[in-house]
Amino acid sequence: MPELEFYDVKSKSKFKSADFSVKEKSGRFFAVTKSKSGPHECWRVLSKDQAAKFKK
């Protein structure tokens, strides 16, 4: 998978990760990865096209 940039709200920092999963919630698609600075998750909104491409 390609690297995506995520924003960690708790540490207020950006980081890149290629280790993420695609989740659907309320008809919207998100890339979800573990935070680099703690046990929480970081979510990023994806378009339908991006989600279809990454789910393969």
Side-chain angles (χ1 to χ4, degrees):
M1 277 198 211
E3 269 194 339
L4 288 181
E5 192 169 89
F6 292 86
Y7 181 73
D8 187 341
V9 177
K10 290 189 179 184
S11 70
K12 296 183 177 128
S13 61
K14 290 183 181 180
F15 64 94
K16 291 186 179 186
S17 176
D19 182 28
F20 60 88
S21 61
V22 176
K23 294 187 181 181
E24 183 179 357
K25 193 170 190 176
S26 303
R28 296 184 78 185
F29 294 96
F30 299 90
V32 182
T33 190
K34 287 285 190 186
S35 170
K36 302 277 188 202
S37 65
H40 55 279
E41 293 179 328
C42 297
W43 292 54
R44 175 197 165 120
V45 177
L46 296 176
S47 69
K48 286 183 181 179
D49 293 339
Q50 285 176 315
K53 185 170 70 173
F54 295 147
K55 276 188 173 181
K56 291 180 181 176

